[in-house]
Amino acid sequence: MIDLLITYDVSTETSAGRKRLRRVAKVCVAHGQRVQNSVFEVSVTDVQLLALRDRLLQEMDPTEDSIRIYRLRQPREKFVEAFGRDQYRDLSAPLIL
Amino acid sequence: MIDLLITYDVSTETSAGRKRLRRVAKVCVAHGQRVQNSVFEVSVTDVQLLALRDRLLQEMDPTEDSIRIYRLRQPREKFVEAFGRDQYRDLSAPLIL
């Protein structure tokens, strides 16, 4: 799997911008999770990456918004530090009920 | 040099939050550039990373804000894709006046 970081810059002062952020978030969390308001960590196969990219490009307004997709170093947890509020949940860890 | 991506989640609905974002931005652009509203790409040495991390922690409010520091794969341009508005400027490219 490829670990990606997707950062999405959109003006959330307009309802159209907030709607686009919601739709981009929906596309991303189907493959991973939101770690900050407009930052997502996803894990995908090569084929899923193609589909994900297409979906993101459909949702964004290229004249207004900015999307950056970074291929992260693996294993991801070795190359990221988080300070303050941390929304990240290790989805591979056993779920204790 | 280490290529880092710094993502900073802060509520910009308060003046205190906007001030913190400005101060974090100032710390980051001393070592690199802002590529999205609260996303920065910086290049630092090991020693500079220690100082950068300390400065960021001083500026943030850990109860309110979130800072994530990712060590990027190198060469960075091979592992990032940008769509829509792209603020990135290749500072190592020759400046043509």
Side-chain angles (χ1 to χ4, degrees), chain A residues 2 5 7-11 35-39 41 49 53 57 60-74 76 78-88, chain B residues 2 5 7-11 35-39 41 49 53 57 60-74 76 78-88:
Chain A
I2 308 165
L5 188 75
T7 65
Y8 182 45
D9 214 15
V10 59
S11 164
V35 293
Q36 287 180 345
N37 190 36
S38 47
V39 176
E41 285 193 24
L49 172 53
R53 196 190 282 133
L57 294 183
M60 78 180 295
D61 175 344
T63 64
E64 294 270 331
D65 310 343
S66 159
I67 286 183
R68 301 178 72 81
I69 301 176
Y70 294 86
R71 289 189 182 221
L72 292 177
R73 294 174 72 168
Q74 294 177 309
R76 64 160 288 290
K78 247 184 85 180
F79 300 102
V80 57
E81 293 176 280
F83 301 98
R85 284 181 311 108
D86 183 2
Q87 295 181 24
Y88 183 80
Chain B
I2 307 166
L5 189 75
T7 65
Y8 183 44
D9 214 17
V10 58
S11 164
V35 293
Q36 287 180 346
N37 190 36
S38 45
V39 177
E41 285 191 26
L49 172 54
R53 193 191 282 133
L57 294 183
M60 78 180 294
D61 175 344
T63 64
E64 294 270 330
D65 310 344
S66 159
I67 286 183
R68 300 178 73 81
I69 302 177
Y70 294 85
R71 290 189 181 221
L72 293 177
R73 293 173 70 169
Q74 295 177 308
R76 65 161 286 292
K78 248 185 85 182
F79 300 103
V80 56
E81 294 177 277
F83 302 98
R85 286 182 310 109
D86 183 4
Q87 296 181 20
Y88 184 80

Side-chain angles (χ1 to χ4, degrees), chain A residues 17-55:
Chain A
R18 285 192 295 274
K19 187 178 167 191
R20 291 198 301 274
L21 178 56
R22 278 196 305 271
R23 294 171 67 95
V24 162
K26 213 169 150 194
V27 172
C28 292
V29 297
H31 298 283
Q33 57 183 291
R34 189 178 213 159
V35 293
Q36 287 180 345
N37 190 36
S38 47
V39 176
F40 307 87
E41 285 193 24
V42 301
S43 286
V44 288
T45 63
D46 281 308
V47 172
Q48 288 171 327
L49 172 53
L50 299 175
L52 174 66
R53 196 190 282 133
D54 284 350
R55 282 296 311 281

Side-chain angles (χ1 to χ4, degrees), chain B residues 1-4 31-32 42-50 52:
Chain B
M1 298 292 271
I2 307 166
D3 286 335
L4 299 174
H31 298 285
V42 302
S43 286
V44 289
T45 62
D46 280 308
V47 172
Q48 288 172 327
L49 172 54
L50 298 176
L52 175 66

